[in-house]
């Protein structure tokens, strides 16, 4: 009998092998492993894990179905709360959400809720289990802007309620950060993202790509000229930040968004695609979040020696523990308590290095983390040919600047009510990174759900 | 899918297409651009909107093959499709936003170089339709490389073609033509220069000396064209601007052209390789744009 205090281990690709390919790192559970892990769940009456899940999946109920081997039933339970389980099971920061609340975690490992969810969702994808479709539409049109997790969730929920939903997406592919940001080796595009989106299509949602709201048309025009009765804005937080240090416009300096977009969306790592990428031989990634880890591990797979340059210590790294662990295993080096001062540029305008300074941790700042302080005189230079800036993003002003009466706060985020997504403009709702600033997939989904509920209440009242 | 209604070769190396894109045609203004993508595996290529027909729902693009993607693109024929066609992107030309009566008082000079004549055209046409006749200088290497002559002449006040080799019109670079016009006593309130970066740089050096405020349309390397990637960033004065959302037009006297030109060369060697592959023919069959290359 296995140790009930420990998770059933999950099979992964060997670090040395996976560091050279873009195949998925984690293989996930098979049915036996999933059923065994499911036995560890105590089916708590007052299940604290549910409180940790932003979309309140009935975790003990779906795990109980796995225990019995009823995977299809387990999928139905999850489907009541989540439209994209194969994605959340992979990229949710479970350790700080559902699993952080699990009672099993008090004495041993928490139940592997995320991996179980992934198993059920993958099973449903492989066996083509479809979500239930509404009998007929109610004739009311709703527009959703952006096809990231918030938009997809909002669209799916509204379609289930019978609305005629059209999603407008600026890029040529659907999925938002799921396709242009998070790499293939963490979230397979064809096998998982595309198929989950297919399910939303099967609910009757229409999609129009290559439409940039604010440019190709505006929110007011959608309502006045195309008869949409309500609009949900799920346009994300896609505007990259830079440091403002000398040398940042040199060739070989990229935002993480550009680097990842070239690799993921434009498939520059695949020779048969036309978009080029300057892969780099020695790369520094500045920052310590999930995005930085993804950029670093992508550069590594494109053949570079990679350093994460982060100004605080390991304990403060904002990235998920699992991602940091994977990056280390694969050979990414961590230059911690180090901050860039200047990017050094050669006579042809290319990066040749970076001047950095050592840091130490001082008193806690407003975020409660200890503030990094420069150590005077500790500057040194490192040789590099590529620098990837991963300092975070802020919401794109394209929509807020072209929509009259839509209030934003000083961080350029759209102001919206948390419980129903209502913005300062009538009939316009918003959620996800566009409202919160860069956050997580599951929070964006939660906001999409809230937005769908808000729109339904609004339109039910209006059309009553 | 976006249907190509007309595909025409204007000169040995410049091509024109009319493409069906009703949403773009309904909302675009002079100065804006589109991003096209030929097929599944193609690059996203930014191209200025050269003309538009709101009723017919079409956009005219004019392009010059320079790398692998644009070379493949020239093989497309009427009846073929672009997989993706996004726009209008960027801001409309400042002229379009200005008060018409104020504009009428101004003496405006356009300078276009090479394929840059294409983006100059919709602006000159728009002014003409609003009762403002601007002077237009268009430069090219030789007579055969001049484009849209008839169309341009019809909408400009004075039209001055220039050729580097003297085979037609004024002999010499566009900058010498600007000097000549100013020496003859022409006073311009604003100059709009669109063309290769090197041309815009030299026009700006000259107009700075002549104290003519100058607007340029920047064409850096882009990926998304919506402000998401930062590939298109450039220095305008002390500030970093994203050409796709803050531009593409900027005050030419503030743009750091040397830096922008270096950034444009970023993928030079890689593209060279892509070009070779293309010429050797192992990545593409007939250039139909539909097959997605080797699958
Ligand atoms: C590299 C990377 C790694 C990440 N890793 C994780 C992780 O491991 N776990 C996790 O939980 N979260 C992760 N995140 C964060 C997570 O992906 C985001 O919080 C989430 O995707 C936000 O969803 P959204 O729907 O609000 O916006 P997005 O996913 O950003 O989608 C917005 C969509 O709207 C479109 N759009 C924008 N403007 C317009 C317009 N004007 N008109 C039409 N369409 C428009 C965009 O093109 C985009 O497709 C990561 C993010 C990145 C960048
Ligand atoms: C806003 C904007 C408007 C534009 N309008 C037009 C237009 O109306 N007609 C037209 O012919 N071209 C226009 N361009 C330029 C056009 O986008 C490029 O020529 C095209 O992207 C090159 O694609 P390619 O794959 O064939 O070559 P690439 O693969 O991009 O590279 C080929 C070579 O061209 C260089 N290059 C890359 N991008 C550009 C660029 N943007 N400008 C110049 N050289 C570049 C590269 O360094 C490389 O050496 C515009 C660019 C921008 C940003
Ligand atoms: S959606 Fe995320 S937080 Fe909710 S149960 Fe699944 S993994 Fe946990
Ligand atoms: S808290 Fe843990 S043990 Fe209890 S129901 Fe949730 S997953 Fe199962
Ligand atoms: S092209 Fe990506 S930000 Fe301008």
């Amino acid at each position: 009998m296995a140790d009930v205090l420990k998770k059933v281990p999950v099979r992964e690709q060997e670090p040395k092998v996976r560091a050279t390919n873009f195949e998925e790192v984690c293989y996930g559970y098979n049915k036996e492993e999933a059923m065994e892990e499911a036995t560890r769940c105590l089916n708590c009456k007052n299940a604290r894990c549910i409180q940790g899940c932003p979309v309140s999946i009935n975790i003990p109920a779906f795990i109980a179905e796995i225990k019995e081997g009823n995977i299809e039933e387990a999928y139905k339970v999850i489907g009541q709360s989540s439209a994209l389980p194969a994605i959340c099971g992979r990229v949710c920061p479970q350790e700080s959400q559902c699993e952080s609340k699990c009672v099993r975690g008090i004495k041993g490992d928490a139940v592997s809720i995320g991996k179980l969810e992934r198993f059920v969702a993958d099973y449903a994808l492989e066996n083509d289990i479809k979500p239930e479709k509404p009998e007929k539409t109610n004739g009311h049109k709703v527009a959703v802007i952006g096809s990231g997790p918030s938009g997809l969730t909002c669209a799916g929920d509204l379609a289930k309620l019978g609305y005629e939903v059209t999603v407008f997406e600026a890029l040529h592919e659907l999925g938002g950060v799921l396709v242009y940001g998070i790499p293939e080796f963490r979230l397979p595009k064809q096998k998982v993202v595309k198929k989950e989106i297919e399910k939303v299509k099967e609910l009757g949602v229409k999609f129009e790509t290559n439409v940039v709201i604010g440019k190709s048309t505006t929110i007011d025009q959608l309502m006045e000229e195309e008869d949409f009765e309500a609009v949900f804005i799920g346009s994300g937080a896609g505007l990259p930040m830079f440091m403002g240090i000398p040398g940042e416009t040199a060739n070989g300096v990229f935002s993480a968004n550009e680097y990842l977009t070239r690799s993921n969306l434009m498939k520059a790592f695949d020779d048969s695609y036309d978009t080029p990428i300057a892969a780099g031989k020695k790369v520094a990634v500045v920052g310590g979040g999930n995005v930085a880890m993804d950029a670093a591990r992508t550069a590594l797979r494109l053949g570079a020696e990679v350093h994460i340059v982060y100004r605080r210590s390991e304990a403060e790294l904002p990235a998920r523990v699992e991602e940091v662990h994977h990056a280390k295993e694969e050979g990414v080096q961590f230059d911690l308590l180090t901050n860039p001062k200047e990017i050094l540029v050669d006579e042809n305008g290319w990066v040749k290095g970076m001047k950095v300074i050592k840091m130490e941790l001082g008193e806690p700042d407003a975020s409660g983390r200890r503030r990094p302080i420069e150590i005077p005189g500790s500057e040194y230079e490192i040789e590099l040919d590529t620098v990837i800036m991963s300092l975070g993003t802020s919401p794109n002003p394209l929509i807020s600047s072209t929509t009259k009466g839509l209030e934003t706060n000083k961080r350029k985020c759209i102001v919206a009510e948390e419980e129903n997504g209502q913005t300062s403009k009538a009939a316009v709702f918003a959620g996800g990174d566009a409202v919160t600033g860069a956050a997580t997939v599951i929070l964006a989904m939660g906001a999409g759900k809230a937005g769908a509920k808000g729109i339904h209440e609004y339109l039910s009242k209006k059309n009553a | 899918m976006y249907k190509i209604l007309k595909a025409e070769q204007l000169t040995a190396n410049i091509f024109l297409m009319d493409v069906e894109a009703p949403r773009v045609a309904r909302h675009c203004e002079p100065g804006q651009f589109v991003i096209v993508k030929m097929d599944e595996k193609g690059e996203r290529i930014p191209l200025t909107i050269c003309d538009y027909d709101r009723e017919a729902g079409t956009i005219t693009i004019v392009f010059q093959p320079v790398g692998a993607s644009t070379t493949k693109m020239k093989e497309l024929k009427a009846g073929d499709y672009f997989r993706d066609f996004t726009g209008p992107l960027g801001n409309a030309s400042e002229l379009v936003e200005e008060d018409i009566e104020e504009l009428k008082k101004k003496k405006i000079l356009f300078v276009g170089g090479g394929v840059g004549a294409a983006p100059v055209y919709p602006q000159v046409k728009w002014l003409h339709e609003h009762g403002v006749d601007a002077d237009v200088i268009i430069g090219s290497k030789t007579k055969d490389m001049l484009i849209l002559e008839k169309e341009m002449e019809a909408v400009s006040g004075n039209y001055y073609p220039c050729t580097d080799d003297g085979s037609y019109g004024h002999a010499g670079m566009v900058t010498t033509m600007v000097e000549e016009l100013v020496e003859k006593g022409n006073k311009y309130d604003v100059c709009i220069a669109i063309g290769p970066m090197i041309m815009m740089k030299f026009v700006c050096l000259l107009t700075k000396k002549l104290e003519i405020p100058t607007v340029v349309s920047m064409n850096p390397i882009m990926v998304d064209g919506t402000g998401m990637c930062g590939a298109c960033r450039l220095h305008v004065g002390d500030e970093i601007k994203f050409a796709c959302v803050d531009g593409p037009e900027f005050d030419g006297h503030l743009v750091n052209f040397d830096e922008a030109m270096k950034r444009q060369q970023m993928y030079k060697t890689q593209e060279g390789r892509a070009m070779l592959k293309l010429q050797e023919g192992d990545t593409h069959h007939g250039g139909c744009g539909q097959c997605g290359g080797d699958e």
Side-chain angles (χ1 to χ4, degrees):
Chain A
M1 193 55 205
D3 182 353
V4 292
L5 294 181
K6 287 248 169 346
K7 283 183 181 182
V8 173
V10 66
R11 288 161 293 115
E12 290 176 347
Q13 251 198 91
E14 275 296 310
K16 278 223 172 62
V17 177
R18 69 178 194 243
T20 61
N21 68 41
F22 280 85
E23 311 289 320
E24 194 171 11
V25 168
C26 173
Y27 292 124
Y29 287 151
N30 59 26
K31 194 166 172 185
E32 288 71 49
E33 291 162 339
M35 285 172 71
E36 189 186 332
E37 177 66 15
T39 61
R40 296 186 56 234
C41 173
L42 303 170
N43 205 350
C44 310
K45 264 215 188 64
N46 186 2
R48 302 193 328 174
C49 51
I50 302 179
Q51 294 155 24
C53 172
V55 296
S56 311
I57 291 180
N58 191 340
I59 295 166
F62 96 76
I63 295 183
E65 297 293 352
I66 300 179
K67 233 184 271 182
E68 302 300 319
N70 299 330
I71 313 304
E72 213 171 320
E73 290 305 313
Y75 179 69
K76 282 194 191 137
V77 175
I78 298 175
Q80 287 161 5
S81 317
S82 170
L84 312 166
I87 294 165
C88 295
R90 285 175 165 82
V91 303
C92 249
Q94 294 110 11
E95 68 276 12
S96 57
Q97 293 180 331
C98 51
E99 294 180 19
S100 75
K101 297 269 161 63
C102 172
V103 293
R104 273 281 185 212
I106 298 170
K107 261 178 97 182
D109 288 350
V111 174
S112 214
I113 302 170
K115 298 281 187 296
L116 288 174
E117 180 180 351
R118 169 184 160 165
F119 165 71
V120 172
D122 282 1
Y123 179 93
L125 289 181
E126 274 155 32
N127 294 284
D128 211 23
I129 300 170
K130 298 212 165 99
E132 278 161 48
K133 199 177 164 165
E135 306 258 295
K136 61 180 182 30
T137 63
N138 64 17
H140 296 292
K141 283 175 72 181
V142 179
V144 169
I145 304 171
S147 61
S150 67
L152 288 173
T153 303
C154 184
D157 275 17
L158 286 169
K160 282 187 198 155
L161 291 165
Y163 289 92
E164 284 179 27
V165 187
T166 306
V167 177
F168 296 96
E169 168 55 51
L171 293 172
H172 60 271
E173 292 289 349
L174 302 172
V177 169
L178 307 176
V179 292
Y180 79 69
I182 304 179
E184 181 74 21
F185 55 83
R186 272 209 303 132
L187 186 61
K189 308 300 162 218
Q190 294 295 329
K191 203 180 104 196
V192 177
V193 181
K194 236 196 175 125
K195 285 205 183 147
E196 293 271 53
I197 294 173
E198 281 307 316
K199 295 208 160 162
V200 180
K201 279 188 188 158
E202 274 162 21
L203 291 169
V205 174
K206 291 198 212 84
F207 288 91
E208 227 187 288
T209 49
N210 300 318
V211 182
V212 187
I213 303 298
K215 291 288 174 188
S216 312
T217 186
T218 63
I219 288 183
D220 290 309
Q221 285 165 332
L222 283 177
M223 298 203 280
E224 283 156 25
E225 296 169 11
E226 301 189 34
D227 302 325
F228 287 102
E229 294 175 54
V231 178
F232 177 82
I233 307 172
S235 55
L239 206 71
M241 296 195 234
F242 288 91
M243 290 187 84
I245 56 173
E248 246 178 334
T249 43
N251 288 353
V253 183
F254 305 90
S255 73
N257 270 8
E258 178 183 357
Y259 198 79
L260 289 168
T261 299
R262 282 181 182 275
S263 179
N264 297 327
L265 181 68
M266 306 309 292
K267 308 250 187 315
F269 68 83
D270 179 340
D271 241 6
S272 71
Y273 284 74
D274 294 336
T275 300
I277 190 163
K281 291 206 168 54
K282 193 165 172 200
V283 178
V285 179
V286 181
N290 282 323
V291 183
M293 297 306 138
D294 284 343
R297 296 170 70 198
T298 298
L300 192 90
R301 282 163 172 74
L302 291 168
E305 174 189 325
V306 185
H307 294 252
I308 292 268
V309 175
Y310 179 61
R311 65 198 177 116
R312 302 181 198 246
S313 74
E314 173 145 6
E316 288 84 12
L317 280 171
R320 290 183 58 198
V321 178
E322 180 177 338
E323 304 308 328
V324 175
H325 171 71
H326 278 155
K328 280 191 177 161
E329 272 187 344
E330 288 163 12
V332 172
Q333 297 173 45
F334 284 73
D335 298 355
L336 301 167
L337 289 166
T338 307
N339 205 30
K341 295 287 277 182
E342 180 183 351
I343 292 163
L344 308 167
V345 187
D346 72 13
E347 63 278 11
N348 297 317
W350 274 91
V351 172
K352 64 172 180 187
M354 190 158 74
K355 190 197 269 178
V356 297
I357 188 162
K358 282 289 198 195
M359 312 289 281
E360 62 189 351
L361 293 180
E363 295 299 310
D365 62 12
S367 72
R369 297 182 301 177
R370 292 174 64 196
R371 187 200 309 273
I373 313 168
E374 292 184 353
I375 302 174
S378 67
E379 289 97 341
Y380 65 98
E381 290 179 6
I382 42 182
E383 225 178 275
L384 296 168
D385 57 18
T386 304
V387 178
I388 301 172
M389 290 294 177
S390 179
L391 307 158
T393 50
S394 67
N396 194 315
L398 269 185
I399 290 176
S400 46
S401 66
T402 54
T403 311
K404 266 187 247 96
L406 188 67
E407 209 181 296
T408 53
N409 65 21
K410 59 176 185 298
R411 286 159 49 229
K412 294 196 208 133
C413 300
I414 297 172
V415 178
E417 306 276 348
E418 201 178 318
E419 68 278 8
N420 60 12
Q422 177 66 55
T423 66
S424 58
K425 189 175 166 80
V428 179
F429 298 76
D433 284 5
V435 169
T436 55
T440 63
V441 172
I442 191 65
L443 285 171
M445 285 181 50
K449 272 191 121 46
K453 191 168 139 268
I455 288 175
H456 182 51
E457 281 165 9
Y458 168 79
L459 289 180
S460 306
K461 212 180 276 163
K462 193 184 130 209
N463 295 315
Chain B
M1 303 285 270
Y2 302 81
K3 191 172 188 176
I4 300 171
L5 299 180
K6 180 165 104 180
E8 207 179 300
Q9 180 161 12
L10 297 180
T11 72
N13 204 29
I14 299 182
F15 298 78
L16 175 148
M17 286 175 186
D18 285 348
V19 184
E20 212 171 52
R23 274 198 194 276
V24 188
R26 202 175 327 144
H27 295 102
C28 68
E29 298 287 352
Q32 292 187 292
F33 65 97
V34 291
I35 286 190
V36 308
K37 186 164 169 290
M38 277 178 19
D39 50 38
E40 169 78 29
K41 298 186 173 185
E43 279 184 274
R44 291 171 66 92
I45 305 171
L47 296 169
T48 312
I49 294 169
C50 169
D51 205 353
Y52 50 89
D53 185 332
R54 298 213 200 279
E55 309 267 283
T58 58
I59 295 289
T60 306
I61 50 174
V62 171
F63 66 94
Q64 181 171 32
V66 295
S69 295
T70 37
T71 301
K72 276 195 229 168
M73 204 165 100
K74 75 175 193 208
E75 305 297 334
L76 294 179
K77 307 264 173 311
D80 289 342
Y81 292 84
F82 282 104
R83 183 186 185 274
D84 301 286
F85 197 96
T86 313
L89 298 168
N91 298 307
S93 158
E94 267 176 49
L95 295 174
V96 181
E97 315 276 319
E98 249 178 85
D99 182 63
I100 277 292
E101 294 313 313
E102 287 301 306
L103 263 185
K104 282 183 178 159
K105 293 183 205 144
K106 281 191 182 165
K107 189 104 169 80
I108 304 171
L109 175 67
F110 282 89
V111 181
V115 72
V120 163
Y121 175 69
Q123 302 200 19
V124 180
K125 181 179 164 193
W126 187 94
L127 287 170
H128 178 72
E129 283 169 352
H130 289 80
V132 185
D133 284 328
D135 285 358
V136 179
I137 301 176
I138 299 292
S140 78
K141 288 211 179 81
T142 68
K143 177 175 192 317
D144 316 332
M145 292 164 87
L146 271 177
I147 54 167
L148 303 172
E149 274 228 275
K150 265 202 305 296
E151 291 85 346
M152 197 73 87
E153 242 188 308
V155 294
S156 33
N158 297 298
Y159 169 67
Y160 306 100
C162 311
T163 50
D164 294 2
D165 68 350
S167 53
Y168 182 68
H170 169 87
M173 307 267 195
V174 288
T175 39
T176 59
M177 190 71 224
V178 177
E179 270 180 312
E180 197 180 306
L181 289 177
V182 171
E183 269 161 30
K184 278 190 186 150
N186 287 289
K187 286 210 170 11
Y188 293 103
D189 299 299
V190 59
C191 167
I192 294 128
I194 308 180
M197 281 201 202
I198 186 83
M199 178 208 93
M200 294 193 282
K201 172 182 167 174
F202 281 104
V203 169
C204 287
L205 287 174
L206 176 67
T207 56
K208 196 162 191 179
K209 223 168 53 194
L210 300 172
E211 293 177 356
I212 308 172
T214 300
V215 175
V216 294
S217 178
M218 296 304 286
N219 50 2
I221 292 174
M222 291 187 175
V223 184
D224 60 304
T226 66
M228 182 267 280
C229 75
C232 62
R233 65 195 188 277
L234 64 155
H235 267 109
V236 180
D238 293 334
E239 281 183 277
I240 297 214
K241 296 279 185 189
F242 288 5
C244 68
V245 285
D246 300 323
E249 294 190 350
F250 294 102
D251 179 343
H253 294 159
L254 294 179
V255 169
N256 184 337
F257 282 103
D258 293 334
E259 178 187 274
M261 284 191 285
K262 279 184 185 148
R263 284 186 64 77
Q264 218 180 37
Q265 302 303 314
M266 183 136 41
Y267 295 100
K268 204 89 190 173
T269 48
Q270 285 188 45
E271 274 299 324
R273 260 181 254 129
M275 230 7 223
L276 269 180
K277 227 163 85 177
L278 186 68
Q279 284 159 0
E280 286 162 5
D282 65 4
T283 49
H284 206 252
H285 322 126
C288 63
Q290 305 302 315
C291 65
D294 289 329
E295 298 252 42

